[in-house]
Every structure is written in structure tokens, then in C-alpha cells.
């Protein structure tokens, strides 16, 4: 029997009323030894157990990083680690609302802190590369997007030389998540050396508007030929990060002016203009891309132009949605049975064979649903949550018995039929038995369940209110640096003061201004 058919049968999702009854029973019925607990506590405990099995147990005990798949013991990915940290943090916030959290709030919060600091440690080993990148702007000096899982050091493998490390959205996502966590009272940054590195990281992403990168999928152009290009998803993530971190104190409410991060307002404005000019397109080679859902929606909320938001999301759904999720972009060969995994790049015109048989990813159904819930669009969120539920696959080793597969693939023997009529065949879920489950997909699913069940609020996972337009956000006192007025259409004038004497420098420094600019 063909291997593809074996995989399909081993990972076939349950559908219909039987699957829904089993899922409801697994997640909503209290177990015998906790019947005295409230329904809210029971729900949180069930999600906690799921978080432990799917996320926490996969964390490296030394570096704090997470792998891409649960059975991987070699490579830790920064992007996947950030989303895993978000899931742990979101679950800790849910426990924070309880009178008796049994220490689980601290456990989950510190798991997230370990991850964020593990990424910081790995990147700080590359400080020389970061300084070189600011002057040479070459992918050769880009901060790495993956590291040795145990040590947190750079990988020394031949394949790593061809890897698309230059991902501006990745550094921006880290900064944005850092601001969200610190705003919620989590202590992540400890020393002034780390503050200086974060400021350098801001300089690293400020020129994204003129820095072609490899994008969220680490492949550059859709032709996967090793060439980077400008991506709207990267620009939007950078725009959101710069707006969030400008004037932000990394020590929280206990910091001084020395721990405040500053952003070049001109650099921010160029990123914003370029981003909004490209939308709803993703790049020169990609008409649209599912990565835009994470940029205009949660976690970035990079645009509050309702017309631009609707146009971008609807285009993604119209062009990319299938029965089992969304395609990453058109003619994407990733995880298809036609892709040759023995080579790093495609040959010329090779992407044509992937037309209409691209793999579909349920993770984007979760992203659409979560964004809708955060924006208080309950009905739209429920629609996509139900679509996601139909894509879950059975796994008796996890609490509840279901996980989110990485993707659904077209069987090699059914590709001609699928090309002739889109969505006419049953795709099979990529088996998680070989590599393990996909951490990123399940991390977002955990956050979605917490939000849908009302265990966390929009302000809990977005304490800086990125989901609200700038004019509707609560006014926050910021005497260091701000350009919120420019986001609302009002010009902001910044003045540089040059001191004549050391005494005047001390006076300026006392009042939050650095002398000798």
C-alpha cells in the first residue's frame, strides 16, 4: 500500500456528530476527583494539562528554546519559541484571575520568561553581527532564526548556510511580545547591557522599508531561489513593534530614563508608508500571503484602516482558503508530495507543478478566529472556530485526545483531480507520529481556547491595546518619546538639544534628556 495512503489513514480526522460529542465530553465534563471545583477552574485546569503536554514538556531545560516539532531534539526555532512563550503566558494570565492558582501562574509565567531570555541570550552572542548589519545591511550578518536546542549557540551544519535567517518580522515579533509581557508586569529584562542590546535591535529593524528579507516562511520570493524581497508582512510587524516600543521602559514602572527605548520617527513613518502602499499585496512575487493574517490581525494589528484590513483579510480568504485550512501562498511547494527535500532551492519554473495542490494549514483558521474574538466579532470567530474543530486529528496521548496538525496534503494519486476542480478531494493530515506534533499550531490553538471560553480577555494578551485604533486606546503618560499624534494625522516635532557644558548635560539628563547629542 502506498505510504501516502498509510499516512492519510493514520491521521484521518473524525467528522460529524460523533467527533463533536467526543470533543465536548473530553473538554467540558468534569472528572471525578475535581467535581467540587467550579466549571471555570475545571476548564483552566484542562487547558493547563494540554499546555503541559503540548508545549512545556518540549522546552529545552538549558536554552529555554522550543523545537518546531515535539520529537526534535536538535534545533530550536525562535519564531516557534515566541508563540510557545505566548501560550504559556496567556495560560498564566488565566490563572492570575483565580483566588487560588496553586502556583501554576508563576510556573507558566516563568516558563515564558525563560524562553524570552533564552532567545535574548542566543541573539546577544551575535552582537558583532548585529553591529555589522547596521552598516552593511547584508543577510550574511543577519541575526539567526534558529539555534542549537541545547546550547542556544549557532548551528554548525552545512544546511544552515542556505537557511533564510534574515527575517525582519521575527525580530519585530520578539520586540512586540517583549513589550506586551513587560506591560503586563512580567520581568524579562534584568541588566543595562540587555537594555542596550534591545535598543540595538530597534536600530536593526528600523530600515526594514529598504531591506529585502526572506519573510515569515524563510524562503524569500515565492520561487524559492534564495533571493529575498520586501514583504508587507515583515513591514507591518516592524511598524507595530516600533509603535509599541517607542518610549517604552524595559524595567516597567520601576525603570529610569536609562532603560527607555527610542525609535527614529522618520524610520517608522517610512515603514508605515511602504507597508500601507503594498497592501493588500504581500510582495512583488506574491499576490497575497497567509502571513498577512498575523500582521493585520493578532498579534500585530498593524493597520487600523478598516477598509484596508477588510480588503487584505478577504483577499487572503478568497485566494487561499480551502476545506482544511489556508494555503501559505499560491504555488507553495512546502510539504507537498512533489517537493524535492534533498535540495535547498527550486529550479526555474518548478513552482508551476504546485499550482492548485498546495498544502493547507489549519493554523490560519485559528488566527482568523482569534483575531475576530479579540475584535469582539463573536459570530465570525465562531464560524472559523467550527472550521478549525473539523480539522483536528485524534491523539490519545494528549488531554482531550485532539491536536492541530501542521497541514493537510494532497495525495499524489489525486492531484490531477484536485487541479481539475479545487477542493474536490479529501486531503490527509501530515502524520505527527514521525516528527511529533507542530508546536506553533497548537500554541495558537491554546490561546484561542482560552479566549473563546472567556478565561482571558482581549486586554490580557494585548495589554498595550494594539487591537484598538490609536485614538481609542487609553492615554498613557510618556514623557520620554512618543509619536502617537502622528499616527492620528497630527505632525510631531522633535527637538535635539546640544549642551555647551558638562553641568548643562547633567541638568538635561536629570530631566530625561541626554546632553551632547
Amino acid at each position: 500500500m502506498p505510504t501516502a495512503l498509510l499516512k492519510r489513514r493514520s491521521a484521518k480526522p473524525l467528522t460529524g456528530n460523533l467527533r463533536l460529542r467526543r470533543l465536548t465530553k473530553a473538554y467540558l465534563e468534569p472528572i471525578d476527583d475535581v467535581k467540587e471545583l467550579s466549571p471555570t477552574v475545571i476548564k483552566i485546569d484542562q487547558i493547563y494539562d494540554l499546555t503541559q503536554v503540548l508545549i512545556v514538556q518540549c522546552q529545552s531545560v538549558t536554552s529555554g528554546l522550543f523545537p518546531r516539532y515535539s520529537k526534535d531534539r536538535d534545533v530550536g526555532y525562535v519564531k516557534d519559541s515566541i508563540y510557545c512563550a505566548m501560550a504559556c503566558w496567556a495560560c498564566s494570565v488565566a490563572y492570575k484571575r483565580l483566588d487560588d492558582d496553586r502556583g501554576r501562574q508563576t510556573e507558566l509565567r516563568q516558563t515564558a520568561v525563560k524562553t524570552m531570555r533564552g532567545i535574548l541570550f542566543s541573539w546577544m552572542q551575535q552582537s558583532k553581527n548585529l553591529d555589522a548589519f547596521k552598516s552593511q545591511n547584508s543577510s550574511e550578518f543577519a541575526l539567526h532564526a534558529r539555534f542549537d536546542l541545547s546550547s542556544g549557540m549557532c548551528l554548525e551544519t552545512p544546511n544552515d548556510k542556505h537557511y533564510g535567517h534574515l527575517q525582519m518580522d521575527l525580530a519585530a515579533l520578539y520586540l512586540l511580545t517583549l513589550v506586551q509581557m513587560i506591560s503586563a508586569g512580567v520581568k524579562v529584562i534584568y541588566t543595562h547591557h540587555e537594555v542596550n542590546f534591545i535598543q540595538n535591535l530597534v536600530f536593526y529593524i528600523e530600515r526594514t522599508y529598504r531591506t529585502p528579507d526572506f519573510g515569515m516562511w524563510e524562503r524569500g520570493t515565492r520561487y524559492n531561489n534564495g533571493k529575498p524581497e520586501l514583504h508587507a508582512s515583515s513591514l507591518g510587524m516592524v511598524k507595530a513593534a516600533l509603535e509599541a516600543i517607542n518610549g517604552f521602559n524595559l524595567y516597567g514602572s520601576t525603570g529610569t530614563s536609562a532603560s527607555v527605548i527610542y525609535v527614529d520617527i522618520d524610520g517608522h513613518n517610512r515603514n508605515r508608508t511602504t507597508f500601507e502602499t503594498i497592501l493588500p499585496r504581500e510582495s512583488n512575487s506574491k499576490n497575497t500571503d497567509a502571513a498577512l493574517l498575523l500582521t493585520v490581525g493578532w498579534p500585530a494589528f498593524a493597520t487600523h484602516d478598516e477598509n484596508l484590513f477588510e480588503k487584505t483579510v478577504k483577499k487572503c480568504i478568497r485566494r487561499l482558503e480551502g476545506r482544511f485550512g489556508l494555503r501559505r501562498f499560491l504555488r507553495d511547494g512546502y510539504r507537498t508530495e512533489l517537493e524535492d527535500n534533498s535540495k535547498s532551492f527550486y529550479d526555474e519554473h518548478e513552482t508551476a507543478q504546485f499550482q492548485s495542490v498546495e498544502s493547507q494549514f489549519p493554523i490560519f483558521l485559528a488566527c482568523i478566529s482569534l483575531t475576530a474574538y479579540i475584535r469582539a466579532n463573536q459570530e465570525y470567530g465562531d464560524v472559523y472556530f467550527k472550521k478549525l474543530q473539523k480539522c483536528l486529528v485524534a491523539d490519545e496521548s494528549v488531554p482531550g485526545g485532539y491536536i492541530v496538525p501542521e497541514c493537510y496534503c494532497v495525495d499524489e494519486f489525486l492531484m490531477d483531480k484536485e487541479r481539475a476542480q479545487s477542493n474536490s478531494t479529501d486531503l490527509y493530515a501530515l502524520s505527527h507520529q514521525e516528527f511529533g506534533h507542530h508546536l506553533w499550531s497548537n500554541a495558537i490553538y491554546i490561546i484561542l481556547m482560552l479566549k473563546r471560553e472567556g478565561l482571558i480577555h482581549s486586554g490580557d494578551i494585548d495589554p498595550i491595546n494594539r487591537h484598538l485604533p490609536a485614538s481609542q486606546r487609553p492615554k498613557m503618560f510618556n514623557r520620554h518619546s512618543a509619536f502617537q499624534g502622528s499616527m492620528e494625522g497630527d505632525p510631531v516635532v522633535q527637538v535635539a538639544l546640544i549642551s555647551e557644558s558638562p553641568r548643562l548635560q547633567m541638568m538635561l539628563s536629570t530631566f530625561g534628556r541626554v546632553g551632547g547629542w
Side-chain angles (χ1 to χ4, degrees):
M1 182 177 291
T3 304
L5 295 181
L6 287 175
K7 290 188 291 184
R8 178 172 58 184
R9 291 181 180 179
S10 64
K12 184 177 180 180
L14 296 177
T15 58
N17 295 330
L18 176 61
R19 199 201 64 78
L20 291 175
R21 286 199 299 270
R22 288 180 60 184
L23 185 65
T24 302
K25 181 179 180 181
Y27 277 99
L28 299 183
E29 285 190 359
I31 54 181
D32 294 339
D33 58 344
V34 293
K35 285 185 178 179
E36 69 277 4
L37 299 178
S38 69
T40 300
V41 175
I42 293 171
K43 290 178 183 178
I44 296 179
D45 285 350
Q46 289 169 343
I47 296 177
Y48 169 83
D49 293 338
L50 192 64
T51 304
Q52 286 288 332
V53 174
L54 294 182
I55 305 296
V56 178
Q57 291 183 7
C58 302
Q59 185 179 35
S60 169
V61 297
T62 50
S63 70
L65 300 177
F66 287 90
R68 178 152 291 175
Y69 305 98
S70 58
K71 292 186 178 180
D72 189 358
R73 298 293 182 268
D74 300 320
V75 183
Y77 290 81
V78 175
K79 184 183 280 91
D80 303 70
S81 296
I82 294 174
Y83 282 101
C84 289
M86 286 185 186
C88 294
W89 171 54
C91 198
S92 76
V93 172
Y95 273 110
K96 188 177 181 180
R97 294 183 170 275
L98 301 178
D99 292 333
D100 179 17
D101 63 11
R102 288 154 288 167
R104 292 181 172 182
Q105 176 203 345
T106 302
E107 174 197 349
L108 292 165
R109 184 188 67 233
Q110 294 309 114
T111 299
V113 170
K114 182 175 182 178
T115 302
M116 297 297 286
R117 290 193 57 77
I119 296 170
L120 183 64
F121 168 81
S122 297
W123 275 348
M124 288 184 73
Q125 307 302 313
Q126 298 188 303
S127 294
K128 292 183 179 179
N129 279 8
L130 191 149
D131 290 333
F133 182 87
K134 290 188 296 182
S135 59
Q136 301 187 39
N137 206 18
S138 170
S139 59
E140 176 186 355
F141 303 107
L143 292 176
H144 282 205
R146 60 182 189 177
F147 297 90
D148 182 270
L149 185 59
S150 298
S151 66
M153 306 301 288
C154 294
L155 294 170
E156 300 294 339
T157 60
N159 291 336
D160 205 59
K161 295 180 180 179
H162 301 292
Y163 188 79
H165 286 295
L166 181 56
Q167 301 169 38
M168 307 308 290
D169 68 294
L170 181 59
L173 176 64
Y174 179 82
L175 292 176
L176 181 60
T177 306
L178 189 69
V179 172
Q180 296 279 24
M181 288 187 178
I182 295 175
S183 297
V186 181
K187 301 296 182 183
V188 182
I189 302 301
Y190 295 167
T191 68
H192 195 62
H193 295 98
E194 295 170 2
V195 172
N196 291 340
F197 181 82
I198 296 298
Q199 180 67 74
N200 249 346
L201 205 55
V202 171
F203 296 151
Y204 178 82
I205 67 172
E206 276 181 341
R207 300 297 180 261
T208 299
Y209 62 88
R210 66 181 188 191
T211 308
D213 70 343
F214 292 99
M216 188 174 293
W217 311 129
E218 307 147 358
R219 294 195 170 196
T221 71
R222 77 169 185 176
Y223 305 107
N224 189 25
N225 53 10
K227 296 181 180 179
E229 64 178 351
L230 282 179
H231 291 88
S233 56
S234 295
L235 286 162
M237 198 69 74
V238 167
K239 170 186 177 289
L242 294 180
E243 290 172 356
I245 205 167
N246 183 50
F248 185 74
N249 200 311
L250 294 179
Y251 289 161
S253 58
T254 60
T256 66
S257 60
S259 53
V260 174
I261 300 300
Y262 297 90
V263 172
D264 175 18
I265 189 172
D266 293 327
H268 163 265
N269 190 57
R270 291 187 181 103
N271 282 301
R272 178 186 61 81
T273 303
T274 309
F275 168 63
E276 294 180 348
T277 301
I278 296 177
L279 284 183
R281 194 178 181 89
E282 162 69 346
S283 66
N284 186 50
S285 67
K286 300 171 188 172
N287 185 272
T288 188
D289 193 307
L292 290 172
L293 296 172
L294 293 163
T295 302
V296 301
W298 179 88
F301 295 102
T303 180
H304 293 97
D305 183 330
E306 196 63 30
N307 181 53
L308 201 56
F309 174 86
E310 292 291 336
K311 187 182 296 185
T312 302
V313 173
K314 287 181 178 179
K315 186 176 184 180
C316 284
I317 292 174
R318 183 178 69 253
R319 301 295 297 272
L320 303 176
E321 186 178 0
R323 292 167 54 200
F324 301 92
L326 272 72
R327 303 164 180 87
R328 300 196 307 180
F329 54 89
L330 299 179
R331 293 192 176 185
D332 174 29
Y334 179 70
R335 288 302 187 191
T336 64
E337 295 188 8
L338 297 177
E339 185 179 48
D340 184 358
N341 295 320
S342 64
K343 57 184 182 182
S344 300
F345 306 119
Y346 295 159
D347 298 327
E348 190 175 1
H349 307 306
E350 186 176 350
T351 57
Q353 66 178 323
F354 306 127
Q355 179 72 40
S356 302
V357 295
E358 304 93 343
S359 297
Q360 299 177 16
F361 296 78
I363 184 177
F364 300 115
L365 300 174
C367 293
I368 295 173
S369 181
L370 181 56
T371 297
Y373 285 137
I374 293 175
R375 287 165 55 90
N377 192 340
Q378 188 77 19
E379 182 179 353
Y380 201 71
D382 287 341
V383 169
Y384 276 88
F385 184 78
K386 291 178 181 177
K387 289 183 179 182
L388 175 65
Q389 294 292 87
K390 296 178 181 179
C391 297
L392 301 181
V393 296
D395 187 340
E396 299 300 331
S397 65
V398 302
Y402 294 93
I403 63 171
V404 182
E406 180 185 8
C407 63
Y408 279 81
C409 310
V410 180
D411 193 294
E412 186 175 6
F413 300 102
L414 301 175
M415 287 187 176
D416 290 338
K417 182 180 178 182
E418 182 67 18
R419 289 192 183 100
Q421 184 179 355
S422 183
N423 296 315
S424 61
T425 63
D426 287 330
L427 278 62
Y428 68 88
L430 188 71
S431 176
H432 57 277
Q433 303 300 329
E434 182 178 357
F435 305 105
H437 61 267
H438 191 238
L439 269 69
W440 181 11
S441 299
N442 288 279
I444 293 182
Y445 180 51
I446 288 170
I447 300 173
L448 172 61
M449 286 194 296
L450 289 168
K451 175 59 182 162
R452 185 176 186 272
E453 294 294 335
L455 304 176
I456 57 175
H457 298 165
S458 298
D460 292 332
I461 54 175
D462 184 22
I464 61 174
N465 294 297
R466 287 287 317 164
H467 64 285
L468 297 176
S471 58
Q472 298 179 21
R473 297 174 198 164
K475 300 296 181 182
M476 300 181 64
F477 175 72
N478 186 351
R479 67 186 179 89
H480 299 292
S481 179
F483 42 73
Q484 185 165 318
S486 66
M487 295 160 58
E488 300 170 358
D490 301 323
V492 174
V493 179
Q494 293 186 334
V495 180
L497 302 177
I498 302 176
S499 59
E500 295 180 341
S501 65
R503 181 175 178 274
L504 183 55
Q505 285 186 16
M506 293 176 61
M507 292 178 63
L508 291 172
S509 178
T510 300
F511 291 97
R513 301 291 183 268
V514 180
W517 287 358

